[in-house]
Amino acid sequence: MKHQRSIVTFTAIAMPGVLVAMTSFLTPLTPGTLDRSPEQVRMPTADTRVVCPGPLLTAGEAEGTDAEFVDDSKVSTRVVSASAPIGAADGSTSSARLQVADLGGSIDFDNPSGQGFVSGDDSIDSTKLVTGFARPGAPALTTGLETVEGSSGDLTGLATLTCAQASSSFRIVAGSGATGSNSQLLLSNPGDVPVQATVALMTPGGESAEPTELSIKAGQQRAVPLGGLAGGAEALAVDVTVDGGVLAGSVQETVLDGLKPQGIDLASGGAGADRQQVLTGLGGKDVRVRVANPSSDLAEVSLKAYGPDGEIDIPRSSMTVVGRGVAEADLGDLDATSLVVESSQRVQAGAFIGKDGEQGAADFGSIPSTDSLAETQILALPRTGESSLNLSPGQGHVQVQGMLDDGTLTDPQSIDLNPTGTTVLNPSDVSEESVRALVLKGSQASGSQADGVHATLVVTTEDGISTVVPAPAPAGVAYRDIRLG
């Protein structure tokens, strides 16, 4: 079985008179590796904090008005958190201390640093803040994963979300203002002071109305119904900029066709806008790609698709996106496909995959564009359904380790990449025991059909479909070489 490989072991940032080379935090550089007597400087590491948005919000005001509109949905919301071992500058290896708490409230548990930890599949009834505390010289390789599973009523389907880090600006390519869709932007403030946010919506016709300004109190989450800001718009992208702090954001969408549930979803921001975007894990019914163009100029976009056996034909190979707008293309039914989106302007892409349910019901899941795999990343696995890890075309290999219930890691496996197609790995192939998270190392991988190698986990249940992406590489490196001249 072929597997993927990831990208960044070395990044160079050029500035006038200064060249800064950032290296892996796992292996300090040997003195003298640069031409002009570099100094090896230890850099600080940073804690990792992510926000899991909590249970789905429903239109409670409709309940009790008529029996037809009473929501009898049975929905389970759970969070898994994990902390994996990572090397420090002093040569030691251990996992970061991991804390889970209510946003702005009490602590659920605080697990000390050690040799690896995976939480239980904990039911939650509120927004959660997951914090990985970095050690000196070693960043926190931690993550949080939220799973929402609906088994009856209006909210039937599966939604999974890699809990998002807070940022001063982000864009989420998801949501709709169309009839039948209930889309809400969830903004969480993990800080100690209120912050101001500006929310702008991008639609197929361009930006919708004037941006909306709102305040989010410290330690609280605020929901913004998107239908009220862009009613009738079939496809949206949400731009958020923050003044005075940072916010974590996600878009919740639930869809009904009359009285038939058509799915639930949670989406967060993907890779930043660029002239190339990569989406992988496009496998399901009625696949759609959505492209947002944050520039004021028209964007001409090309699409190339790669299935397990190589490049494939798709119904649309190009699309045009108006300035400050979005556009969608229907790609039909696909199997384990990676999509390379290239544009004349910097754009941001997302995709949607679907699955049929019973008696006319259905479900859908969103896929964000991803950054290339980094030196070491962690991906928590939902404890429901079946999962497959999709890796975009590449050369070399990705190293994969499974994390077990007791926090230990399995022996590393090298997954050879398919240079012309998507590589698919079943997490159950990593170990005979139950695997709760994957640690992915991409230093020996490079992209063959796009920049870098990209990963997405696709999760399916009897009635649902959703996706999970690796948590961003942890902040902080053990050493940085600086050369002046």
Side-chain angles (χ1 to χ4, degrees):
M1 172 168 301
K2 296 195 177 240
H3 296 59
Q4 148 184 3
R5 125 184 209 199
S6 155
I7 56 174
V8 307
T9 49
F10 181 94
T11 302
I13 304 172
M15 297 176 287
V18 180
L19 177 66
V20 179
M22 298 181 67
T23 72
S24 159
F25 45 74
L26 294 179
T27 307
L29 290 179
T30 302
T33 54
L34 296 180
D35 294 338
R36 287 188 269 175
S37 300
E39 295 184 7
Q40 199 170 54
V41 180
R42 176 162 304 173
M43 301 302 294
T45 53
D47 297 340
T48 299
R49 292 199 302 174
V50 299
V51 177
C52 304
L56 292 181
L57 300 182
T58 59
E61 64 273 10
E63 295 183 10
T65 59
D66 188 290
E68 184 179 22
F69 295 101
V70 173
D71 184 6
D72 62 350
S73 300
K74 294 181 180 179
V75 182
S76 170
T77 303
R78 306 183 301 279
V79 165
V80 173
S81 54
S83 180
I86 192 168
D90 61 6
S92 64
T93 299
S94 72
S95 65
R97 170 187 159 206
L98 185 67
Q99 181 186 93
V100 176
D102 287 340
L103 182 67
S106 60
I107 295 174
D108 292 338
F109 67 84
D110 196 331
N111 193 75
S113 61
Q115 293 307 307
F117 171 77
V118 181
S119 74
D121 196 20
D122 300 323
S123 178
I124 64 168
D125 58 7
S126 62
T127 303
K128 296 297 180 181
L129 179 64
V130 180
T131 305
F133 295 92
R135 297 179 295 123
L141 187 60
T142 58
T143 190
L145 168 69
E146 178 167 320
T147 301
V148 181
E149 200 164 3
S151 58
S152 68
D154 294 345
L155 303 178
T156 300
L158 175 70
T160 55
L161 181 75
T162 301
C163 302
Q165 295 183 7
S167 173
S168 60
S169 65
F170 52 88
R171 180 180 302 107
I172 305 174
V173 184
S176 173
T179 301
S181 171
N182 177 11
S183 293
Q184 304 202 45
L185 171 66
L186 308 177
L187 296 175
S188 301
N189 179 4
D192 299 324
V193 297
V195 299
Q196 296 293 124
T198 301
V199 178
L201 294 188
M202 302 161 66
T203 74
E207 190 166 292
S208 174
E210 292 295 320
T212 300
E213 295 186 356
L214 59 155
S215 177
I216 298 92
K217 295 179 180 180
Q220 292 193 14
Q221 177 173 272
R222 183 167 179 176
V224 182
L226 300 182
L229 302 178
E234 293 284 344
L236 299 176
V238 186
D239 264 334
V240 179
T241 56
V242 185
D243 184 20
V246 294
L247 293 172
S250 58
V251 167
Q252 169 197 303
E253 185 174 6
T254 62
V255 181
L256 279 173
D257 179 8
L259 298 178
K260 295 184 184 299
Q262 298 298 300
I264 59 177
D265 185 54
L266 290 169
S268 61
D274 208 337
R275 287 183 172 84
Q276 183 184 90
Q277 300 272 281
V278 179
L279 301 154
T280 191
L282 281 66
K285 290 182 59 64
D286 303 324
V287 177
R288 294 171 287 135
V289 59
R290 184 180 301 179
V291 178
N293 174 16
S295 74
S296 57
D297 298 322
L298 195 73
E300 299 291 345
V301 178
S302 67
L303 309 173
K304 290 185 177 181
Y306 303 87
D309 299 321
E311 187 170 359
I312 60 174
D313 292 330
I314 50 177
R316 290 279 298 277
S317 60
S318 64
M319 55 197 302
T320 301
V321 192
V322 300
R324 295 295 301 167
V326 300
E328 271 197 358
D330 293 328
L331 303 183
D333 299 348
L334 296 175
D335 176 32
T337 297
S338 301
L339 188 71
V340 179
V341 179
E342 294 189 320
S343 172
S344 58
Q345 306 291 335
R346 297 170 66 88
V347 298
Q348 188 167 330
F352 302 86
I353 54 179
K355 185 179 188 298
D356 289 338
E358 296 182 354
Q359 299 179 342
D363 191 32
F364 70 100
S366 60
I367 301 176
S369 61
T370 55
D371 289 315
S372 304
L373 283 178
E375 171 70 23
T376 303
Q377 290 173 261
I378 186 171
L379 187 155
L381 305 180
R383 300 194 185 187
T384 187
E386 298 180 354
S387 300
S388 62
L389 180 67
N390 288 232
L391 304 168
S392 64
Q395 297 173 331
H397 65 267
V398 171
Q399 187 183 94
V400 178
Q401 289 178 281
M403 179 173 284
L404 307 180
D405 276 310
D406 61 1
T408 59
L409 291 177
T410 63
D411 292 335
Q413 296 185 22
S414 292
I415 308 304
D416 293 329
L417 296 174
N418 183 344
T420 60
T422 301
T423 299
V424 180
L425 170 68
N426 189 327
S428 63
D429 294 339
V430 175
S431 172
E432 294 181 355
E433 300 181 63
S434 297
V435 174
R436 302 307 185 190
L438 297 176
V439 175
L440 308 176
K441 298 184 179 182
S443 60
Q444 301 301 314
S446 61
S448 56
Q449 308 299 326
D451 296 336
V453 173
H454 302 255
T456 297
L457 185 84
V458 179
V459 189
T460 57
T461 61
E462 182 177 350
D463 299 312
I465 189 167
S466 196
T467 67
V468 182
V469 296
V477 293
Y479 291 92
R480 188 191 315 189
D481 276 358
I482 299 177
R483 182 176 70 196
L484 301 178

